[in-house]
Structures are given as structure tokens and as C-alpha cells.
Amino acid sequence: MSNTLPALLFVGSGVALTLELLIGGIAVGVLLGTSLAILRYMYKGICGNCIGRIVSVIRGTPLILQLSIVYFITPVLLDCKLSILATGIIAFGINSSAYVSEILRAGVESLPKGQFEAAKTLEITSCYMWKDIILPQVFVNIFPAFINEIVSLLKETALISVIGGMDIMRKSQIIAAEHYEYFTPLCLAGAYYYGLVILIEYIGQKIEKRKFYAKNS
Amino acid sequence: MLKIHKVSKALSNVRILDEVSLDVKKASIFGLAGPSGSGKSTLLRCIQKLETPDSGSIDYSCRVCFMFQDFQLFPHMTVLQNLVYAPTLKDKANAKEHIDKAKMMLKNLGIESKINDYPRTLSGGQKQRVALARSLMINPDVLLCDEPTSGLDVSTIMDVVSLLKSVNNIGVTIVIASHDLDFLTKISDRIVLLKNGKIAIDIIPSQTPNSVETLKGFY
Ligand SMILES: Nc1ncnc2c1ncn2[C@@H]1O[C@H](COP(=O)(O)OP(=O)(O)OP(=O)(O)O)[C@@H](O)[C@H]1O
Ligand SMILES: [Mg+2]
């Protein structure tokens, strides 16, 4: 038991990388996912189908495979070595963008068509329509699903340990291997992850309570 | 001003409009009557280009704005924001003037106390007046109103009548689809009644004795 405190601190120092991956991944995921969802809504033809297929492939292949592709193949293609953090943010961001775009698409499809028509009637250009009329409403409606996506991405960042990222997971494995004792470090890692999940859900609920208008007009 | 030539439109394989032709004069108030489901909204949506006619043509070269039967206010914006958002986007320099104009219009419609409220807190009749004011904010040359008086009481109908008359006096052409025959007769220069996708009757209320009774005969 004398090892518990150092283990707690050591595993805890992995929270930094885990959070960096999460925040970076979500940022890329939201930007890319929103663009994909908008493009897919606006161009229902070939372009939309292509995006749909890409999203489907990303959702239909293992994240660990995508991470490996980014880690092993981009250095060959781009002729430069990416850091573990950059690799993680790119892979998790692209993966997350597929899920975010699906969530957003459902949100956009569920808005009354009249909202688009009203914007058109008032001669609001497409860019402002999305920015000020459609997306603000959609973001409120999909907020709970979005929090779920953040939580699942948080858990998936643990995969960074397979390419050597020193996150919560990896650090707990290191401690475990040093002391030939697995129970405490793995439980600690679990506690850190779960603590972060609780925190995210708490913040999510706080924001949701501040919603200041109903979903329908 | 607005020429509609042999417009036909089918929705889900049902013919809603059947070669409808109309000619709306500049600065007139044009009434569209007809039983529920007769295609009044569909015709207005075609004029606003929210629907494409299957055949025929609609010609105009001016700014048209449509007021929706179900309002379609932006739920995440206050009444004032709903009104000034679009005009301010176009003309940022005059933001202050747009606000003043919006306030004036809300006052004329008797809902100035609701200026900072969200649409969900408004009654149906209040939403309707906000929707009407919002369409007028972009200074359309032709205003298309879909049921501007449903759910309004006698005195607020009078407010709507005087607002529409006052914008009509400054040259705005108005097309109104409505079930309210008294209102239509009072306000319109000409009334067309749609039935089964065709024009059943075309009257000029000021020259037709008993216009309301005549129109009622077709329901
Ligand atoms: N998207 C749609 N798909 C199929 N049918 C439709 C659609 N929209 C409207 N219709 C049908 O078109 C017909 C005309 O509708 P419209 O809304 O133009 O009538 P209206 O004269 O405005 O009726 P109301 O007075 O009740 O507003 C109705 O029978 C309706 O069922
Ligand atoms: Mg209608």
C-alpha cells in the first residue's frame, strides 16, 4: 500500500495527455464534422453520397486501425514524423468528425424545413443562415448526444498507449509492470477516467440547464 | 407587377393548381380565398419560389417576401432580433434605424411590450403579428401574407388592416390568402377564389354587392 500515493501521482500525470488528446480531437471533430454535415445537407447528389461513404467507412473501421494508419503511413506520405500528440489529435479528430457529422445531420434533418425557407424568404445568405439560424438551434437540440460523443472519445483516447503515448492508461501499465501489481494501478486509471466522465457530464448538465428557449417555436 | 401564367403544380401526384393565371397590379391588395386545401398556400409558395411550378410561369422583377401560415419565427432569437436580424445583415450601417423601425411597427401592432421576449412565450396571435412585422422589415415590393388574421380578435384584426393599408399606401403590393371573407372583402381591391385548383370566381369587392355572400356560395 505504501506505493499507492506515488502511483496515484504518476498515473495522474497522464491526465494531461489524455485531456490534450480529448480537447484537440473534439476541436478537430467539431470543425470537420460540422463542415461535412453542412456539405452533405447542401449537396445531396454525388458530393453528398461521397461524404456519406467516407463517414460510413470511418465509422465502420476500428479506431486502432485508423490510429495506426495515421501513425505509420502519414510519415511515409508526408515525409515527416508526427509527434504522438499530433498523431492522436488527427486520428481521434477524424474519427470523431464522422460521429459528430452524423449527430449534426440528424439534428439538421429534424429542424422544420420552414426555418430554412424563412431564412431564404428574408434573403439571408447561406453562410449566415447556417451560422446564425440553423446551427445555433441544432447545437442546442443535439447537445446531449454531443456530450455522449465527448465521453466516448475520452475513453477511446486510451488507445494512444498502443503507439506509446504517456496517458493515464499507459502510465498505469508502467507502474503495474514495475511492481508486478496490477490491481491498484488499473483501478486508479479507472477512477481517473470515471472522474473525468463525471466532470464532463456535470459541466454538460450545467450548460444544458441554461438553455433559454424551448426546442420548438 | 406580378404575372402568373397557367401555373400548374402537383404535390404527391395530386394536382393542386391547375393552370392558374393571375395578374396582380402594382400597389394593389389582392385577396386569395378558397376552401381549406384549395392551394392558396401552394400558390403563394410558388410565387416566393419555395416551390417550382410543374408548368407555367411566374414573372416579376422585384423583392417579394412571404409571411408563413405557421410563422416560422426563429425560436432562439427575441422578437426584436427576429425583426432586425435580416435587415441589419444587409445594411449594418443603419442598425439603429432598423431597431427604431421595428419598435414602431411592434407598437402599431400593439405588441411593443413583447419586444425582448422569445417566440415560445407568445400567443398565436402575437406570433402572427411578429411574423408580419418581420416580413415587412426587409422592405418588400410585394408582400405575400398567408392567413395573416387567423387567431386574431376583432381589434387586432383592425391593427393588421391598418398596418397593411399603410404599407400599401406607400406602394407595397400585397397578396393575402385568407379564410376570413369579411377581412378580405374589407381590405382587397380584388378577390380571386380558388377551388379544385382553378379560379372559381374573380371579383372586385367595391363593385360587387354582397361580395361576402357571393364568395360564401363557393364553399
Ligand atoms: N408537401 C406536400 N405534399 C403533399 N401534399 C401537400 C403538400 N403540401 C400541401 N399538400 C396538399 O396540397 C393541398 C393544398 O394545400 P395548401 O396548403 O396550398 O392549401 P390552402 O388553400 O393553403 O389550405 P388552408 O386554407 O387550409 O391553408 C392540400 O390538399 C394539401 O394536402
Ligand atoms: Mg394555407
Side-chain angles (χ1 to χ4, degrees):
Chain A
M1 275 323 265
S2 63
N3 290 327
T4 309
L5 185 63
L8 187 72
L9 293 175
F10 185 70
V11 175
S13 66
V15 170
L17 180 62
T18 298
L19 283 182
E20 282 163 8
L21 288 169
L22 177 65
I23 292 166
I26 283 293
V28 173
V30 168
L31 289 177
L32 196 58
T34 308
S35 319
L36 291 178
I38 292 176
L39 285 175
R40 208 171 159 190
Y41 188 87
M42 286 178 53
Y43 305 100
K44 291 248 159 82
I46 296 172
C47 173
N49 288 342
C50 285
I51 294 174
R53 183 54 57 198
I54 294 169
V55 166
S56 163
V57 167
I58 296 175
R59 285 168 18 119
T61 50
L63 179 52
I64 192 162
L65 176 75
Q66 295 161 12
L67 189 66
S68 310
I69 289 176
V70 176
Y71 187 63
F72 293 110
I73 296 180
T74 43
V76 179
L77 288 181
L78 301 179
D79 199 25
C80 72
K81 191 151 167 52
L82 292 174
S83 70
I84 287 175
L85 179 63
T87 307
I89 289 177
I90 293 171
F92 296 142
I94 290 175
N95 182 266
S96 180
S97 72
Y99 290 90
V100 169
S101 87
E102 278 298 277
I103 296 172
L104 276 172
R105 192 171 71 103
V108 171
E109 300 281 354
S110 72
L111 265 200
K113 255 191 133 197
Q115 290 287 306
F116 292 86
E117 294 177 345
K120 185 181 171 197
T121 300
L122 294 168
E123 300 175 0
I124 297 168
T125 52
S126 183
C127 163
Y128 284 99
M129 173 186 81
W130 284 101
K131 179 168 92 60
D132 294 335
I133 311 290
I134 306 300
L135 290 179
Q137 296 185 57
V138 170
F139 280 135
V140 169
N141 293 350
I142 62 149
F143 193 72
F146 179 61
I147 292 293
N148 281 343
E149 170 56 22
I150 297 182
V151 167
S152 50
L153 187 65
L154 169 75
K155 292 180 292 180
E156 280 167 352
T157 59
L159 284 176
I160 201 75
S161 58
V162 304
I163 60 166
M166 293 294 243
D167 70 334
I168 298 174
M169 189 65 208
R170 181 69 197 259
K171 289 202 167 180
S172 73
Q173 289 167 334
I174 289 174
I175 286 268
E178 267 175 20
H179 300 278
Y180 303 108
E181 203 265 309
Y182 285 87
F183 185 74
T184 315
L186 292 182
C187 284
L188 278 177
Y192 274 114
Y193 280 113
Y194 190 57
L196 288 173
V197 168
I198 301 264
L199 184 69
I200 291 167
E201 283 176 347
Y202 176 78
I203 295 171
Q205 277 163 12
K206 280 270 160 196
I207 297 175
E208 210 172 334
K209 281 220 181 80
R210 285 178 43 189
K211 265 200 260 182
F212 50 90
Y213 66 92
K215 286 179 182 172
N216 46 0
S217 55
Chain B
M1 184 75 187
L2 174 62
K3 279 197 200 312
I4 299 171
H5 183 68
K6 290 197 172 175
V7 163
S8 299
K9 176 75 189 170
L11 291 167
S12 318
N13 289 325
V14 181
R15 183 163 264 215
I16 312 293
L17 298 174
D18 191 5
E19 304 209 327
V20 175
S21 296
L22 291 172
D23 193 350
V24 179
K25 285 212 175 60
K26 187 168 163 47
S28 65
I29 301 187
F30 191 99
L32 266 181
S36 184
S38 58
K40 304 184 292 296
S41 301
T42 308
L43 182 58
L44 293 185
R45 290 172 57 82
C46 285
I47 299 175
Q48 177 71 68
K49 303 198 164 102
L50 296 173
E51 308 277 358
T52 328
D54 299 331
S55 63
S57 65
I58 298 178
D59 296 312
Y60 55 84
S61 52
C62 54
R63 175 176 287 167
V64 172
C65 191
F66 179 51
M67 181 204 138
F68 291 81
Q69 187 163 6
D70 52 358
F71 325 131
Q72 296 297 344
L73 299 175
F74 302 132
H76 60 304
M77 295 185 180
T78 64
V79 168
L80 183 64
Q81 287 165 343
N82 262 283
L83 264 60
V84 300
Y85 176 76
T88 311
L89 207 56
K90 281 230 171 81
D91 175 18
K92 286 205 174 58
N94 287 320
K96 179 83 177 50
E97 279 72 15
H98 298 313
I99 294 177
D100 291 341
K101 183 179 170 195
K103 284 183 176 162
M104 180 60 96
M105 204 131 50
L106 292 173
K107 187 150 181 276
N108 290 340
L109 289 169
I111 42 174
E112 72 268 40
S113 64
K114 301 289 177 189
I115 190 157
N116 291 317
D117 292 2
Y118 285 92
R120 76 179 155 95
T121 65
L122 304 181
S123 73
Q126 291 164 343
K127 281 183 199 164
Q128 192 142 37
R129 282 171 282 164
V130 175
L132 176 60
R134 186 178 70 173
S135 327
L136 285 169
M137 284 298 293
I138 64 163
N139 293 324
D141 302 301
V142 178
L143 175 68
L144 310 171
C145 299
D146 203 351
E147 307 286 352
T149 60
S150 65
L152 296 187
D153 62 35
V154 186
S155 106
T156 37
I157 288 180
M158 291 314 296
D159 291 341
V160 169
V161 169
S162 47
L163 182 73
L164 290 177
K165 285 235 150 120
S166 71
V167 294
N168 179 241
N169 280 336
I170 57 168
V172 178
T173 309
I174 304 176
V175 182
I176 305 172
S178 180
H179 286 290
D180 186 341
L181 297 179
D182 290 313
F183 163 73
L184 270 189
T185 319
K186 196 179 302 161
I187 198 168
S188 311
D189 301 316
R190 186 175 154 201
I191 300 177
V192 156
L193 189 140
L194 284 180
K195 194 169 181 183
N196 301 328
K198 289 192 183 293
I199 294 173
I201 183 176
D202 183 345
I203 62 167
I204 295 177
S206 58
Q207 294 168 11
T208 315
N210 299 325
S211 326
V212 176
E213 300 310 318
T214 314
L215 291 168
K216 269 190 187 150
F218 288 88
Y219 274 74

